[in-house]
Amino acid sequence: MHELSSSHPAETVLVLGGRGRFGLAAAQAFARGGWRVLAQMRPGAAAPEVAGVTWLAQALDTPQAVEALVAQVRRSGGASVVVHALNPNRYTRQAWKREAWPLLQSGMAVAQALGATIMLPGNVYNYGEAMPGVLLEDTPQRPSMAMGRIRTDMEARLEQATRQGRLRAVIVRAGNFYGRGRGTWLDLAMLTGIRRGKLVLPGPLDVRTPWAYLPDLARTFVAVAGARAAMAPFESLHFSGHDLSGQDWVDVLQPLARQQGWLSEQATLRVGGLPWPLFSLLGPLVPSWATLVALRYLWNRPHRLDNRRLRALIGSEPHTPWPLALEHTLRDLGMLPAAAEPPVHSGTARA
Protein backbone atom coordinates (compact mmCIF):
# COMPACT_ATOMS: atom_id res chain seq x y z
CA MET A 1 0.00 0.00 0.00
CA HIS A 2 1.37 3.46 -0.93
CA GLU A 3 2.08 5.95 1.83
CA LEU A 4 0.01 9.13 1.92
CA SER A 5 1.81 12.35 1.10
CA SER A 6 0.97 15.92 2.01
CA SER A 7 2.00 17.19 -1.44
CA HIS A 8 -0.14 16.72 -4.54
CA PRO A 9 0.92 18.74 -7.57
CA ALA A 10 -1.87 17.27 -9.70
CA GLU A 11 -5.60 17.31 -8.94
CA THR A 12 -6.71 14.51 -6.64
CA VAL A 13 -9.61 12.10 -7.13
CA LEU A 14 -11.00 9.81 -4.45
CA VAL A 15 -12.54 6.59 -5.80
CA LEU A 16 -15.02 4.96 -3.41
CA GLY A 17 -15.22 1.22 -4.01
CA GLY A 18 -11.88 1.17 -5.81
CA ARG A 19 -11.60 -2.63 -5.92
CA GLY A 20 -14.83 -3.11 -7.84
CA ARG A 21 -15.01 -3.50 -11.61
CA PHE A 22 -15.79 0.10 -12.39
CA GLY A 23 -13.92 1.52 -9.39
CA LEU A 24 -10.69 -0.17 -10.42
CA ALA A 25 -11.10 0.89 -14.05
CA ALA A 26 -11.70 4.47 -12.89
CA ALA A 27 -8.66 4.45 -10.59
CA GLN A 28 -6.47 3.22 -13.44
CA ALA A 29 -7.86 5.76 -15.92
CA PHE A 30 -7.44 8.73 -13.59
CA ALA A 31 -3.88 7.68 -12.73
CA ARG A 32 -3.01 7.39 -16.42
CA GLY A 33 -4.65 10.76 -16.98
CA GLY A 34 -2.20 12.44 -14.64
CA TRP A 35 -4.42 12.68 -11.57
CA ARG A 36 -3.33 11.82 -8.06
CA VAL A 37 -5.57 8.91 -7.08
CA LEU A 38 -6.81 7.83 -3.66
CA ALA A 39 -8.94 4.66 -3.69
CA GLN A 40 -11.11 3.48 -0.80
CA MET A 41 -11.54 -0.21 -0.04
CA ARG A 42 -12.97 -2.19 2.84
CA PRO A 43 -10.62 -3.04 5.73
CA GLY A 44 -8.90 -6.39 5.33
CA ALA A 45 -9.14 -6.41 1.53
CA ALA A 46 -6.01 -6.87 -0.56
CA ALA A 47 -4.89 -3.70 -2.31
CA PRO A 48 -4.43 -4.23 -6.07
CA GLU A 49 -1.07 -3.22 -7.50
CA VAL A 50 -1.95 -0.16 -9.57
CA ALA A 51 0.71 2.41 -10.40
CA GLY A 52 -0.12 5.86 -9.07
CA VAL A 53 -2.94 4.74 -6.74
CA THR A 54 -2.88 5.11 -2.94
CA TRP A 55 -5.24 2.68 -1.20
CA LEU A 56 -7.21 3.65 1.91
CA ALA A 57 -8.62 0.73 3.92
CA GLN A 58 -11.66 2.33 5.52
CA ALA A 59 -15.28 1.24 5.88
CA LEU A 60 -18.12 3.66 5.06
CA ASP A 61 -20.99 2.04 6.96
CA THR A 62 -21.30 4.59 9.80
CA PRO A 63 -21.01 8.40 10.16
CA GLN A 64 -17.87 7.82 12.21
CA ALA A 65 -16.34 5.75 9.42
CA VAL A 66 -17.15 8.49 6.90
CA GLU A 67 -15.48 11.07 9.16
CA ALA A 68 -12.42 8.85 9.48
CA LEU A 69 -12.07 8.57 5.71
CA VAL A 70 -12.51 12.31 5.26
CA ALA A 71 -9.80 12.90 7.86
CA GLN A 72 -7.40 10.61 5.98
CA VAL A 73 -8.06 12.38 2.70
CA ARG A 74 -7.63 15.81 4.27
CA ARG A 75 -4.30 14.79 5.76
CA SER A 76 -3.18 13.88 2.26
CA GLY A 77 -4.17 17.28 0.89
CA GLY A 78 -7.84 16.72 0.04
CA ALA A 79 -9.62 15.74 -3.17
CA SER A 80 -11.56 17.77 -5.72
CA VAL A 81 -13.51 14.86 -7.25
CA VAL A 82 -15.14 11.81 -5.63
CA VAL A 83 -16.07 8.89 -7.89
CA HIS A 84 -18.89 6.87 -6.33
CA ALA A 85 -18.31 3.27 -7.41
CA LEU A 86 -19.92 1.60 -4.38
CA ASN A 87 -22.59 -1.03 -5.04
CA PRO A 88 -24.85 -3.25 -2.92
CA ASN A 89 -23.36 -6.65 -2.12
CA ARG A 90 -26.03 -8.54 -4.07
CA TYR A 91 -27.86 -7.87 -7.31
CA THR A 92 -31.37 -8.12 -5.87
CA ARG A 93 -34.24 -5.75 -5.19
CA GLN A 94 -33.92 -6.37 -1.45
CA ALA A 95 -30.20 -5.54 -1.39
CA TRP A 96 -30.70 -2.40 -3.45
CA LYS A 97 -33.58 -1.24 -1.23
CA ARG A 98 -31.51 -1.82 1.90
CA GLU A 99 -28.06 -0.66 0.75
CA ALA A 100 -28.07 1.55 -2.36
CA TRP A 101 -29.27 4.83 -0.84
CA PRO A 102 -27.17 4.55 2.38
CA LEU A 103 -24.10 3.95 0.22
CA LEU A 104 -24.83 7.03 -1.87
CA GLN A 105 -25.49 9.03 1.30
CA SER A 106 -22.01 8.09 2.49
CA GLY A 107 -20.52 9.15 -0.84
CA MET A 108 -22.40 12.44 -0.74
CA ALA A 109 -21.24 13.08 2.84
CA VAL A 110 -17.62 12.48 1.83
CA ALA A 111 -17.90 14.79 -1.20
CA GLN A 112 -19.65 17.52 0.79
CA ALA A 113 -17.04 17.41 3.57
CA LEU A 114 -14.22 17.67 1.02
CA GLY A 115 -15.91 20.32 -1.11
CA ALA A 116 -15.61 17.91 -4.04
CA THR A 117 -17.75 17.09 -7.07
CA ILE A 118 -19.30 13.63 -6.80
CA MET A 119 -19.46 11.54 -9.99
CA LEU A 120 -21.35 8.28 -10.41
CA PRO A 121 -22.28 5.90 -13.21
CA GLY A 122 -25.96 5.69 -14.02
CA ASN A 123 -28.02 3.07 -15.86
CA VAL A 124 -31.11 2.92 -18.05
CA TYR A 125 -33.40 1.36 -15.42
CA ASN A 126 -34.84 4.83 -14.75
CA TYR A 127 -36.68 4.96 -18.08
CA GLY A 128 -38.82 1.87 -17.64
CA GLU A 129 -40.46 -0.53 -20.04
CA ALA A 130 -42.18 2.24 -22.04
CA MET A 131 -38.88 3.95 -22.87
CA PRO A 132 -38.40 5.26 -26.44
CA GLY A 133 -35.74 3.91 -28.77
CA VAL A 134 -33.44 6.92 -28.32
CA LEU A 135 -32.71 8.02 -24.76
CA LEU A 136 -31.86 11.67 -24.12
CA GLU A 137 -30.95 13.24 -20.77
CA ASP A 138 -34.39 14.86 -20.56
CA THR A 139 -36.34 11.75 -21.61
CA PRO A 140 -39.10 11.28 -18.98
CA GLN A 141 -38.13 8.71 -16.35
CA ARG A 142 -40.96 6.28 -15.70
CA PRO A 143 -39.34 3.24 -14.02
CA SER A 144 -41.37 0.07 -14.25
CA MET A 145 -39.49 -2.12 -11.76
CA ALA A 146 -38.24 -1.76 -8.19
CA MET A 147 -34.54 -1.21 -8.94
CA GLY A 148 -35.42 1.51 -11.44
CA ARG A 149 -37.62 3.27 -8.89
CA ILE A 150 -34.85 3.05 -6.28
CA ARG A 151 -32.32 4.51 -8.69
CA THR A 152 -34.64 7.28 -9.86
CA ASP A 153 -35.35 8.28 -6.27
CA MET A 154 -31.63 8.29 -5.42
CA GLU A 155 -30.82 10.57 -8.34
CA ALA A 156 -33.67 12.91 -7.42
CA ARG A 157 -32.32 13.22 -3.88
CA LEU A 158 -28.85 13.85 -5.24
CA GLU A 159 -30.14 16.61 -7.51
CA GLN A 160 -32.03 18.15 -4.60
CA ALA A 161 -28.81 18.28 -2.56
CA THR A 162 -27.10 20.20 -5.38
CA ARG A 163 -29.99 22.67 -5.54
CA GLN A 164 -29.55 23.26 -1.83
CA GLY A 165 -25.90 24.12 -2.49
CA ARG A 166 -24.55 21.20 -0.46
CA LEU A 167 -22.41 19.75 -3.27
CA ARG A 168 -21.93 19.39 -7.03
CA ALA A 169 -22.73 16.17 -8.87
CA VAL A 170 -22.59 14.57 -12.30
CA ILE A 171 -24.12 11.29 -13.47
CA VAL A 172 -22.73 9.54 -16.54
CA ARG A 173 -25.39 7.08 -17.73
CA ALA A 174 -24.32 3.96 -19.62
CA GLY A 175 -25.60 0.59 -20.83
CA ASN A 176 -24.49 -2.92 -19.86
CA PHE A 177 -21.01 -2.95 -18.37
CA TYR A 178 -18.40 -5.32 -19.73
CA GLY A 179 -14.64 -5.65 -19.60
CA ARG A 180 -12.23 -5.52 -16.66
CA GLY A 181 -13.17 -8.65 -14.75
CA ARG A 182 -15.98 -11.04 -13.99
CA GLY A 183 -19.54 -10.57 -12.86
CA THR A 184 -21.17 -9.27 -16.06
CA TRP A 185 -23.76 -10.68 -18.46
CA LEU A 186 -20.91 -11.99 -20.60
CA ASP A 187 -19.25 -14.39 -18.18
CA LEU A 188 -22.35 -15.17 -16.12
CA ALA A 189 -24.62 -16.04 -19.05
CA MET A 190 -23.71 -15.27 -22.64
CA LEU A 191 -20.31 -16.96 -22.88
CA THR A 192 -20.91 -19.89 -20.52
CA GLY A 193 -21.12 -22.33 -23.45
CA ILE A 194 -18.90 -20.59 -26.00
CA ARG A 195 -16.15 -23.25 -25.77
CA ARG A 196 -18.80 -25.80 -26.77
CA GLY A 197 -19.87 -23.66 -29.71
CA LYS A 198 -22.93 -22.09 -28.07
CA LEU A 199 -23.80 -18.43 -27.43
CA VAL A 200 -26.54 -17.56 -24.95
CA LEU A 201 -28.53 -14.43 -25.84
CA PRO A 202 -30.98 -12.95 -23.33
CA GLY A 203 -33.05 -11.44 -26.15
CA PRO A 204 -33.79 -11.62 -29.90
CA LEU A 205 -31.04 -11.47 -32.51
CA ASP A 206 -32.30 -8.25 -34.08
CA VAL A 207 -32.69 -6.09 -30.95
CA ARG A 208 -29.98 -3.45 -30.44
CA THR A 209 -28.94 -2.45 -26.91
CA PRO A 210 -26.15 -0.24 -25.45
CA TRP A 211 -22.96 -1.74 -23.99
CA ALA A 212 -20.31 0.13 -22.00
CA TYR A 213 -16.72 -1.08 -22.22
CA LEU A 214 -15.42 -0.11 -18.78
CA PRO A 215 -12.01 1.29 -19.83
CA ASP A 216 -13.81 3.63 -22.25
CA LEU A 217 -16.37 4.66 -19.63
CA ALA A 218 -13.58 5.26 -17.10
CA ARG A 219 -11.67 7.46 -19.57
CA THR A 220 -14.91 9.38 -20.11
CA PHE A 221 -15.11 10.04 -16.37
CA VAL A 222 -11.60 11.49 -16.50
CA ALA A 223 -12.54 13.78 -19.39
CA VAL A 224 -15.77 14.90 -17.69
CA ALA A 225 -13.93 15.56 -14.41
CA GLY A 226 -11.52 17.78 -16.29
CA ALA A 227 -14.39 19.76 -17.81
CA ARG A 228 -16.51 20.05 -14.67
CA ALA A 229 -15.91 23.81 -14.29
CA ALA A 230 -18.16 24.35 -17.31
CA MET A 231 -21.01 22.27 -15.86
CA ALA A 232 -24.05 23.17 -13.80
CA PRO A 233 -24.11 22.07 -10.12
CA PHE A 234 -26.08 18.96 -11.22
CA GLU A 235 -25.36 17.40 -14.58
CA SER A 236 -26.53 14.22 -16.30
CA LEU A 237 -24.71 12.92 -19.39
CA HIS A 238 -25.14 9.92 -21.66
CA PHE A 239 -22.33 7.58 -22.71
CA SER A 240 -23.20 5.81 -25.97
CA GLY A 241 -20.62 3.02 -25.88
CA HIS A 242 -21.31 0.19 -28.31
CA ASP A 243 -24.74 -0.22 -29.90
CA LEU A 244 -25.01 -3.98 -30.48
CA SER A 245 -27.58 -6.51 -31.64
CA GLY A 246 -27.51 -10.22 -30.94
CA GLN A 247 -26.47 -10.77 -34.53
CA ASP A 248 -23.45 -8.51 -33.98
CA TRP A 249 -22.30 -10.86 -31.21
CA VAL A 250 -22.72 -13.87 -33.50
CA ASP A 251 -20.86 -12.21 -36.37
CA VAL A 252 -17.78 -11.49 -34.25
CA LEU A 253 -17.77 -14.53 -31.96
CA GLN A 254 -18.31 -17.17 -34.68
CA PRO A 255 -15.00 -16.63 -36.53
CA LEU A 256 -13.22 -16.20 -33.20
CA ALA A 257 -14.64 -19.52 -31.97
CA ARG A 258 -13.38 -21.20 -35.13
CA GLN A 259 -9.95 -19.63 -34.69
CA GLN A 260 -9.75 -20.92 -31.11
CA GLY A 261 -10.89 -24.41 -32.07
CA TRP A 262 -14.19 -24.14 -30.24
CA LEU A 263 -15.93 -24.65 -33.59
CA SER A 264 -14.90 -26.58 -36.67
CA GLU A 265 -14.39 -24.55 -39.84
CA GLN A 266 -17.73 -25.70 -41.23
CA ALA A 267 -19.79 -25.39 -38.03
CA THR A 268 -21.91 -22.39 -37.09
CA LEU A 269 -22.33 -20.96 -33.65
CA ARG A 270 -25.42 -22.29 -31.93
CA VAL A 271 -27.56 -19.60 -30.34
CA GLY A 272 -29.72 -20.29 -27.32
CA GLY A 273 -31.78 -18.20 -24.95
CA LEU A 274 -32.10 -17.95 -21.20
CA PRO A 275 -34.68 -20.15 -19.43
CA TRP A 276 -37.01 -17.26 -18.72
CA PRO A 277 -40.03 -19.42 -17.73
CA LEU A 278 -37.87 -21.20 -15.14
CA PHE A 279 -36.57 -17.86 -13.83
CA SER A 280 -40.14 -16.62 -13.51
CA LEU A 281 -41.29 -19.78 -11.75
CA LEU A 282 -38.46 -19.85 -9.23
CA GLY A 283 -38.07 -16.08 -8.87
CA PRO A 284 -39.91 -16.02 -5.51
CA LEU A 285 -37.31 -18.49 -4.18
CA VAL A 286 -34.22 -17.06 -5.91
CA PRO A 287 -34.22 -13.24 -5.58
CA SER A 288 -31.49 -12.72 -8.18
CA TRP A 289 -33.58 -14.59 -10.77
CA ALA A 290 -36.57 -12.40 -9.95
CA THR A 291 -34.38 -9.37 -10.66
CA LEU A 292 -33.36 -10.78 -14.05
CA VAL A 293 -37.00 -11.34 -14.98
CA ALA A 294 -37.86 -7.76 -14.02
CA LEU A 295 -35.13 -6.54 -16.37
CA ARG A 296 -36.05 -8.80 -19.29
CA TYR A 297 -37.72 -5.93 -21.15
CA LEU A 298 -34.30 -4.34 -21.69
CA TRP A 299 -33.38 -7.22 -24.02
CA ASN A 300 -36.65 -7.08 -25.96
CA ARG A 301 -36.90 -3.33 -26.49
CA PRO A 302 -34.34 -1.65 -28.82
CA HIS A 303 -32.78 1.43 -27.25
CA ARG A 304 -29.64 3.51 -27.34
CA LEU A 305 -28.13 6.40 -25.39
CA ASP A 306 -27.65 9.65 -27.31
CA ASN A 307 -24.29 11.22 -26.36
CA ARG A 308 -24.56 14.65 -28.03
CA ARG A 309 -24.61 16.48 -24.70
CA LEU A 310 -21.50 14.61 -23.54
CA ARG A 311 -19.68 15.40 -26.81
CA ALA A 312 -20.57 19.08 -26.49
CA LEU A 313 -18.76 19.07 -23.16
CA ILE A 314 -15.67 16.92 -23.80
CA GLY A 315 -15.44 16.59 -27.56
CA SER A 316 -15.35 12.99 -28.79
CA GLU A 317 -16.36 10.09 -26.56
CA PRO A 318 -13.48 7.68 -25.76
CA HIS A 319 -14.15 4.63 -27.90
CA THR A 320 -12.35 1.31 -28.39
CA PRO A 321 -13.55 -0.44 -31.58
CA TRP A 322 -15.91 -3.18 -30.49
CA PRO A 323 -14.07 -6.27 -31.83
CA LEU A 324 -10.91 -5.05 -30.09
CA ALA A 325 -12.80 -4.32 -26.85
CA LEU A 326 -14.29 -7.81 -26.96
CA GLU A 327 -10.85 -9.33 -27.55
CA HIS A 328 -9.44 -7.50 -24.51
CA THR A 329 -12.45 -8.63 -22.47
CA LEU A 330 -11.96 -12.28 -23.40
CA ARG A 331 -8.28 -12.01 -22.48
CA ASP A 332 -9.22 -10.54 -19.10
CA LEU A 333 -11.56 -13.50 -18.59
CA GLY A 334 -8.77 -15.95 -19.39
CA MET A 335 -10.53 -17.18 -22.52
CA LEU A 336 -7.77 -16.01 -24.88
CA PRO A 337 -3.98 -16.04 -24.43
CA ALA A 338 -2.63 -12.93 -22.75
CA ALA A 339 -1.27 -10.30 -25.09
CA ALA A 340 2.45 -9.61 -24.89
CA GLU A 341 2.21 -5.85 -24.30
CA PRO A 342 -1.36 -4.45 -24.23
CA PRO A 343 -1.38 -0.73 -25.05
CA VAL A 344 -2.31 1.81 -22.39
CA HIS A 345 -4.99 3.32 -24.61
CA SER A 346 -6.29 0.96 -27.27
CA GLY A 347 -9.10 3.07 -28.62
CA THR A 348 -9.94 6.07 -30.69
CA ALA A 349 -12.30 8.92 -29.98
CA ARG A 350 -15.91 8.54 -31.03
CA ALA A 351 -18.07 11.29 -32.38
Side-chain angles (χ1 to χ4, degrees):
M1 186 178 301
H2 300 282
E3 295 295 326
L4 291 177
S5 170
S6 59
S7 62
H8 56 293
E11 277 202 279
T12 300
V13 60
L14 170 64
V15 180
L16 304 179
R19 291 181 76 254
R21 281 193 309 276
F22 177 68
L24 187 56
Q28 293 170 325
F30 273 95
R32 290 171 175 171
W35 286 64
R36 180 171 175 270
V37 181
L38 307 177
Q40 176 269 343
M41 64 180 185
R42 68 181 185 278
E49 289 292 333
V50 182
V53 176
T54 297
W55 292 92
L56 307 178
Q58 176 62 57
L60 286 172
D61 54 349
T62 66
Q64 294 75 19
V66 169
E67 290 176 5
L69 177 63
V70 169
Q72 289 186 68
V73 176
R74 282 177 173 161
R75 286 196 299 270
S76 77
S80 55
V81 171
V82 172
V83 174
H84 182 83
L86 297 167
N87 286 301
N89 287 326
R90 300 185 65 190
Y91 193 62
T92 64
R93 176 183 62 82
Q94 294 89 339
W96 272 48
K97 184 176 181 180
R98 183 175 60 250
E99 301 172 21
W101 171 238
L103 287 172
L104 182 55
Q105 278 183 300
S106 294
M108 291 167 61
V110 170
Q112 183 176 353
L114 295 172
T117 298
I118 187 169
M119 303 182 67
L120 64 155
N123 57 45
V124 299
Y125 301 173
N126 304 48
Y127 297 111
E129 194 165 357
M131 64 182 175
V134 179
L135 300 174
L136 303 170
E137 288 81 359
D138 58 358
T139 296
Q141 297 186 3
R142 301 188 180 96
S144 55
M145 43 85 73
M147 293 168 75
R149 290 188 289 272
I150 291 168
R151 184 70 195 206
T152 301
D153 180 63
M154 288 167 54
E155 293 181 14
R157 295 190 195 188
L158 179 62
E159 183 175 10
Q160 183 180 19
T162 67
R163 288 178 176 172
Q164 294 169 348
R166 291 162 48 198
L167 77 168
R168 298 174 65 87
V170 57
I171 298 168
V172 182
R173 201 174 308 283
N176 286 309
F177 287 4
Y178 76 106
R180 285 295 188 265
R182 299 184 176 276
T184 70
W185 277 97
L186 285 187
D187 60 286
L188 295 178
M190 295 173 63
L191 301 179
T192 51
I194 194 68
R195 288 190 174 98
R196 302 187 303 276
K198 181 179 180 180
L199 172 66
V200 176
L201 289 179
L205 279 169
D206 59 347
V207 172
R208 307 191 73 84
T209 57
W211 289 79
Y213 181 51
L214 285 190
D216 287 345
L217 180 60
R219 289 166 57 202
T220 299
F221 266 62
V222 178
V224 171
R228 69 190 186 282
M231 297 188 302
F234 179 83
E235 186 63 86
S236 178
L237 302 166
H238 282 183
F239 173 87
S240 287
H242 297 110
D243 178 35
L244 303 172
S245 69
Q247 188 61 52
D248 290 330
W249 288 96
V250 173
D251 291 344
V252 170
L253 284 169
Q254 183 164 277
L256 188 147
R258 289 171 176 162
Q259 181 184 22
Q260 296 300 313
W262 304 334
L263 276 178
S264 68
E265 286 298 323
Q266 292 75 31
T268 57
L269 199 62
R270 291 176 291 118
V271 179
L274 287 175
W276 292 111
L278 178 64
F279 287 174
S280 297
L281 179 65
L282 297 181
L285 302 176
V286 186
S288 59
W289 289 7
T291 299
L292 296 182
V293 172
L295 293 171
R296 185 181 182 182
Y297 73 91
L298 291 173
W299 301 104
N300 295 325
R301 194 170 191 86
H303 60 284
R304 67 177 179 86
L305 290 154
D306 187 295
N307 72 350
R308 279 176 291 180
R309 192 164 173 176
L310 173 71
R311 288 189 285 114
L313 181 69
I314 67 170
S316 299
E317 178 185 293
H319 182 77
T320 301
W322 178 59
L324 184 59
L326 180 58
E327 179 184 334
H328 291 332
T329 299
L330 295 178
R331 292 188 194 283
D332 288 343
L333 292 172
M335 303 183 71
L336 294 178
E341 280 294 335
V344 172
H345 293 309
S346 56
T348 57
R350 181 181 188 178

